[in-house]
Amino acid sequence: MENQGKKAVVALSGGLDSSVAALLLKQQGYEVIGLTGRMVDTPAADIVVQNAKAVAESLDIEHHVFDASEIFKQKVIDYFENTYRSGKTPNPCIMCNKFIKWGLLLDFAVETLGADVYATGHYANIVNENGIFKLFPAADEHKDQLYFLCRLTQKQLSKTLFPLSKFTKSEVREIAAKYNLPTKSSKESQDICFIQKPMTSKKYLIEKFGIKRGDFIDILTDKKWGEHEGCYQYTIGQRKGIGIAAPYPLYVIKIDAQKNIVYVGREEDNYKTNLKINEFNLVDTTFETSSKEFDALVKIRYNMHAKKAHVKLFDNFADITFYDPVNSVTSGQAGVIYDLIDGHLIGGGVVVD
């Protein structure tokens, strides 16, 4: 086998995708090692570690647990809380990928465990084109995980494998069932791993920040529509849960965290054409030498269809002009740029409205 003698360290979460990724690499001849990051010190984290150990035992592979809780607290949990406190909407999974999965865990895999490659259960496809590693969509069109990988670098991609790139989620489930993996019946992991049900993000934030009464103000007329209990409980474009009786639906249009004001308006007030993406990370470095102005596809949140826009690229930010206005431009979310022709990831950063 061509991979005989090569060591693959798999970020083993104890879930379906990473366990099948480990199985596939073992079948390809790699010496596979499981590596589980312990993100928080809770009973839920104990279960993650136990599930990962069960997978490693079923595959008969070495398994390590890495305590990432201190950095996870700084780079993910504190970031999550501080972003909401400032009236913006965070994306903790992207920060976890940047600082933990492709930070602490990748470094440990390579430097301590001697990994030739580092693998995860993400749905994405890495293609080496003349020494530049490009991220393309995976076979499962319902799984655009490029969005969450927009902070990765060429150095990180050069060490990374995505064994699930050619599979759909249903095919991955079939593989797990065929080989009787402990995760064969596991459900999708939840969005925010450090907030366990029945706790919700809103309840978590209320416990953290308490009730802070402020005003709902009309974005156009300055009319006061009512009062809220903390601007951090709202996000741009939100319609449900505002609790105002009005003759037409009201949407959250803008949040002023310093004054604790939530500005509301009609649906048409929620559309914009221009925005900026700060802290821009260029994944496809061929764009360093190519045109700094081009048309591309852009997403400003995970669950939207990418829209055509004109992009002006600068050293660490990008100016975006959409051809058709987009709704709910939300500061703090990831703005991600994809190639107009083949859909591969160009780069991403943080939306500023």
Side-chain angles (χ1 to χ4, degrees), residues 169-351:
K169 184 77 178 194
S170 57
E171 288 169 336
V172 168
R173 284 205 179 280
E174 287 168 13
I175 293 168
K178 179 181 177 181
Y179 290 94
N180 200 30
L181 292 178
T183 55
K184 63 185 178 184
S185 302
S186 65
K187 297 174 183 175
E188 285 279 5
S189 58
Q190 58 194 87
D191 287 341
I192 302 175
C193 65
F194 56 89
I195 299 177
Q196 295 292 316
K197 291 178 180 177
M199 179 66 81
T200 63
S201 293
K202 185 173 181 177
K203 288 178 186 173
Y204 176 94
L205 292 168
I206 290 170
E207 279 193 9
K208 187 74 185 176
F209 301 139
I211 300 298
K212 295 186 182 338
R213 298 195 182 279
D215 294 335
F216 285 115
I217 302 292
D218 193 288
I219 190 76
L220 295 180
T221 66
D222 282 340
K223 171 186 174 179
K224 179 179 172 178
W225 281 101
E227 292 187 352
H228 59 76
E229 295 186 337
C231 68
Y232 61 82
Q233 298 180 38
Y234 300 90
T235 189
I236 303 300
Q238 181 175 335
R239 182 170 73 87
K240 294 180 179 177
I242 295 176
I244 299 172
Y248 45 82
L250 289 174
Y251 294 76
V252 175
I253 308 298
K254 181 183 171 185
I255 296 169
D256 185 332
Q258 282 192 317
K259 295 179 180 176
N260 196 24
I261 294 173
V262 176
Y263 290 94
V264 294
R266 303 180 190 226
E267 184 181 11
E268 57 264 35
D269 302 324
N270 191 32
Y271 282 81
K272 291 186 178 178
T273 306
N274 297 92
L275 61 93
K276 191 174 173 182
I277 301 176
N278 274 355
E279 300 172 38
F280 193 78
N281 173 60
L282 196 60
V283 177
D284 178 0
T285 50
T286 57
F287 279 79
E288 285 178 339
T289 52
S290 63
S291 170
K292 295 292 184 182
E293 240 183 276
F294 52 90
D295 283 348
L297 294 170
V298 178
K299 283 178 112 175
I300 55 167
R301 58 187 169 276
Y302 172 62
N303 60 352
M304 73 174 277
H305 289 293
K307 305 282 189 184
K308 185 179 177 182
H310 190 68
V311 176
K312 291 182 181 177
L313 211 54
F314 299 90
D315 284 344
N316 61 352
F317 71 94
D319 277 333
I320 310 295
T321 305
F322 286 98
Y323 282 91
D324 295 308
V326 294
N327 68 326
S328 307
V329 175
T330 307
S331 289
Q333 282 285 281
V336 180
I337 301 174
Y338 306 81
D339 187 84
L340 192 63
I341 307 301
D342 60 23
H344 83 269
L345 180 64
I346 293 172
V350 181
V351 170

Side-chain angles (χ1 to χ4, degrees), residues 9-14 18 33-39 45 48-53 56 63-68 105 108 113:
V9 172
V10 180
L12 212 54
S13 68
S18 63
I33 298 173
L35 175 60
T36 302
R38 185 182 172 85
M39 308 304 184
V48 167
V49 170
Q50 288 164 14
N51 290 345
K53 281 188 184 300
H63 182 242
H64 295 263
V65 178
F66 185 96
D67 184 359
L105 296 188
F108 183 78
L113 300 179

Side-chain angles (χ1 to χ4, degrees), residues 35-78:
L35 175 60
T36 302
R38 185 182 172 85
M39 308 304 184
V40 288
D41 189 15
T42 65
D46 293 337
I47 293 169
V48 167
V49 170
Q50 288 164 14
N51 290 345
K53 281 188 184 300
V55 170
E57 286 171 10
S58 74
L59 293 172
D60 192 26
I61 62 173
E62 191 180 317
H63 182 242
H64 295 263
V65 178
F66 185 96
D67 184 359
S69 58
E70 188 178 337
I71 302 299
F72 187 84
K73 169 79 168 62
Q74 292 172 18
K75 299 295 188 181
V76 182
I77 297 177
D78 289 353

